[in-house]
Amino acid sequence: QVPLVESGGGSVQAGGSLRLSCAYGKTVSTYCVAWFRQAPGKEREGVATIGSRAGTGYTDSVKGRFTISRDNPENTVYLQMNSLITEDTAMYYCAAARFCRNWLPDSYDYWGQGTQVTVYS
């Protein structure tokens, strides 16, 4: 069973919204789940995290625009992205770790395949 599967990416005009979903298996049901993104030529960066008890964290560039949430019965984590800007264009990945310690990709044990988000002006 694949631990993490993303969906919901697409193309949207600047100022618009998208909601990404990350479906996770039982293996990671009590894990911290994070969203990362990677734009061409840039390093992978953490965007938002949510712990098993729904504590959240955000990188500064998305605070006030993105909201991460978790539906435990559905085994799904969501990333609601509003007021999108062209700089949000990237491949978005969800990842899971036992604890929400930091933004370092190497700290995360499981990764999805990614979903592309493109914001055009």
Side-chain angles (χ1 to χ4, degrees), residues 3 30 109 118:
T30 60
D109 304 305
T118 302

Side-chain angles (χ1 to χ4, degrees), residues 9-61:
S11 294
V12 63
Q13 193 169 21
S17 299
L18 282 174
R19 187 177 79 159
L20 305 183
S21 299
C22 173
Y24 54 84
K26 289 182 178 180
T27 304
V28 299
S29 60
T30 60
Y31 278 39
C32 167
V33 177
W35 284 98
F36 285 78
R37 65 186 180 186
Q38 188 166 20
K42 294 188 176 181
E43 292 186 354
R44 192 166 296 191
E45 65 168 343
V47 174
T49 60
I50 188 163
S52 59
R53 297 184 179 183
T56 60
Y58 299 91
T59 193
D60 286 346
S61 63

Side-chain angles (χ1 to χ4, degrees), residues 22-114:
C22 173
Y24 54 84
K26 289 182 178 180
T27 304
V28 299
S29 60
T30 60
Y31 278 39
C32 167
V33 177
W35 284 98
F36 285 78
R37 65 186 180 186
Q38 188 166 20
K42 294 188 176 181
E43 292 186 354
R44 192 166 296 191
E45 65 168 343
V47 174
T49 60
I50 188 163
S52 59
R53 297 184 179 183
T56 60
Y58 299 91
T59 193
D60 286 346
S61 63
V62 307
K63 284 180 181 177
R65 300 189 298 122
F66 292 9
T67 302
I68 191 169
S69 61
R70 186 170 194 149
D71 186 336
N72 284 332
E74 295 295 324
N75 286 349
T76 304
V77 167
Y78 300 99
L79 185 68
Q80 178 67 43
M81 305 186 295
N82 298 329
S83 302
L84 284 161
I85 58 178
T86 55
E87 290 81 359
D88 293 320
T89 295
M91 183 72 78
Y92 282 70
Y93 300 89
C94 65
R98 290 295 303 272
F99 304 104
C100 292
R101 288 196 182 97
N102 53 52
W103 296 109
L104 297 176
D106 286 347
S107 298
Y108 289 79
D109 304 305
Y110 298 100
W111 289 84
Q113 295 299 305

